[in-house]
Amino acid sequence: MATTREQAQAARAAKLDELHERLTGAVEQLVSGEDWARALAFAARFRTRSFSNTLLIWEQHQGAYEAGLVPDPFPSYVAGYQQWQGLGRQVQKGQPGYQILAPVTGRFASSNLTDVESWRRLGKGEKPRAGEVVRTRMVGVRPAYVWDVSQTTGDPIPEPPAPRLLEGEAPAGLWEGLAAQVEASGFSVLRVPHEGMIRGANGLTDYTANTVAVRENMDPAAQVKTLAHELGHVLLHGPDAEEARQHRGIGEVEAESVALMVGAAHGMDTSGYTIPYVSTWAARVDGKEPVEVVKATGERVRKTALAILDQLDTTQVGDGTPPGLDRDATRRDAPAPASPVPEPASPRQATPSLEPAARPVPVSAFEGRGL
């Protein structure tokens, strides 16, 4: 007969399997250009959470809306049961929680930080030996629950100021903040008079000369979006980025996805490129299903965009965390497992990367309250 512990483990495994199936179904719906752009704009509103958890929240909230349990098809703020209580709100009776993947962490100790094999996991309450350093990293995941603010009642949520832009206007300070990050990565930012000077493109990143060029004969909003696109190239790509080199289009899709999220986080109607060819390049990656490619790209994009946004001193839209809630302890809700010792970055080589000047039909980054 199964023990209580074995039953609990089996129940947890069943929940994780259910979450995986739900997540896979949500990702499968994204393998099209329009859905991908909408998902990224939505993720910009929940950027403190992993891409997987963003999709899980999105999919389950849609189900709650269709069942008449919530008044709006798109969530705004989500938090755990006790977190809502800490903000003076209570989950309404009968409101189902949205299952997400929360991290299970372990403590590891070593006296030789550069030797990966020397790290050992500490038991509960176990103290490190003399001279050892202790670090915490993720060792697994577990099911957890969150609720949208519309599923709760109680004290009002204070709304932070949201940026509002006129057509063609760029958010205050965004160009300067992005340019500073480009320069911090060892690249110079150039403004050129027209696209003829950069191979007919809106922007160009040159890994040989370590320069990022943006053409000036565009609206300020288009210029700053292009600079975000090129910063995505600087942070994600280069000759050492093997996957982007081998599969045509991955680099451009990732860079533009980063730009879309950065723009969406600033309330911008990013009318640049909507990534209509996501399904095409994803289907051509040998050895991987399109769903796997899209999911992996989404998390890379989210992490890169979050790193950019965290360094910007600009007014940004909310990130899905209720104002007044400190999520520092739960910010890493499902990161990829990491080695205790970070891997050194490969040196950049010489391969220019450019953003084409041709523009598709504009798509609102915030069509339907953040999606």
Side-chain angles (χ1 to χ4, degrees):
M1 178 178 291
T3 64
T4 303
R5 178 181 176 83
E6 289 173 338
Q7 291 172 340
Q9 289 176 335
R12 175 176 167 180
K15 286 185 177 181
L16 289 175
D17 289 341
E18 178 185 349
L19 277 175
H20 176 72
E21 291 180 7
R22 185 187 295 270
L23 177 60
T24 300
V27 172
E28 284 175 344
Q29 297 177 22
L30 296 183
V31 190
S32 73
E34 181 180 356
D35 285 346
W36 182 243
R38 287 162 61 86
L40 288 171
F42 177 83
R45 291 293 300 269
F46 289 83
R47 55 189 178 274
T48 60
R49 299 190 179 274
S50 71
F51 193 69
S52 295
N53 280 341
T54 298
L55 296 183
L56 287 170
I57 292 168
W58 181 9
E59 190 268 345
Q60 291 172 88
H61 190 88
Q62 292 285 321
Y65 173 73
E66 292 172 0
L69 296 174
V70 293
D72 194 277
F74 307 107
S76 55
Y77 297 121
V78 296
Y81 192 89
Q82 293 182 344
Q83 290 174 325
W84 279 125
Q85 289 181 326
L87 292 174
R89 298 185 67 84
Q90 183 66 41
V91 174
Q92 300 174 14
K93 185 177 181 180
Q95 286 288 354
Y98 304 154
Q99 281 192 332
I100 62 172
L101 298 167
V104 176
T105 60
R107 295 164 59 244
F108 293 80
S110 173
S111 58
N112 185 357
L113 305 186
T114 60
D115 182 5
V116 176
E117 299 298 328
S118 69
W119 290 86
R120 62 187 182 86
R121 185 171 180 178
L122 298 176
K124 185 176 181 180
E126 182 181 357
K127 295 183 178 180
R129 300 166 187 161
E132 287 188 328
V133 173
V134 177
R135 291 183 180 173
T136 301
R137 69 181 179 92
M138 193 178 101
V139 295
V141 293
R142 61 178 176 82
Y145 292 88
V146 293
W147 286 259
D148 183 65
V149 64
S150 63
Q151 299 173 289
T152 68
T153 57
D155 296 342
I157 298 294
E159 288 289 343
R164 296 183 180 275
L165 304 174
L166 298 175
E167 185 176 355
E169 189 179 79
L174 183 53
W175 174 277
E176 293 78 8
L178 295 173
Q181 293 188 43
V182 171
E183 292 168 354
S185 298
F187 288 71
S188 299
V189 178
L190 309 174
R191 274 177 155 158
V192 299
H194 56 81
E195 62 272 23
M197 301 181 66
I198 49 175
R199 307 178 190 179
N202 289 340
L204 183 145
T205 297
D206 190 326
Y207 297 99
T208 304
N210 279 3
T211 59
V212 167
V214 177
R215 66 182 179 101
E216 292 182 302
N217 58 338
M218 299 187 292
D219 288 345
Q223 291 185 44
V224 80
K225 194 281 302 178
T226 297
L227 184 59
H229 175 109
E230 300 305 328
L231 178 56
H233 279 311
V234 167
L235 298 178
L236 282 171
H237 306 130
D240 53 310
E242 182 178 354
E243 188 174 36
R245 280 204 323 272
Q246 290 181 348
H247 306 292
R248 181 179 179 182
I250 290 183
E252 289 302 317
V253 168
E254 288 186 333
E256 186 57 29
S257 297
V258 168
L260 191 151
M261 286 195 70
V262 171
H266 288 84
M268 293 180 66
D269 178 1
T270 52
S271 58
Y273 321 111
T274 61
I275 322 162
Y277 50 88
V278 167
S279 58
T280 300
W281 64 253
R284 293 178 179 175
V285 178
D286 294 337
K288 292 184 179 180
E289 293 294 324
V291 169
E292 296 175 326
V293 177
V294 170
K295 181 180 175 182
T297 302
E299 184 61 12
R300 276 168 53 82
V301 166
R302 185 198 70 88
K303 287 183 177 180
T304 303
L306 179 59
I308 292 172
L309 293 168
D310 280 348
Q311 297 181 60
L312 292 173
D313 187 18
T314 53
T315 302
Q316 301 174 18
V317 300
D319 61 8
T321 300
L325 177 65
D326 183 2
R327 279 195 69 238
D328 285 345
T330 58
R331 192 175 174 114
R332 305 182 312 275
D333 47 58
S339 168
V341 182
E343 297 181 2
S346 302
R348 302 249 182 217
Q349 300 174 22
T351 301
S353 179
L354 54 84
E355 179 191 13
R359 296 189 171 207
V361 177
V363 172
S364 172
F366 277 94
E367 178 185 356
R369 279 197 61 199
L371 185 61

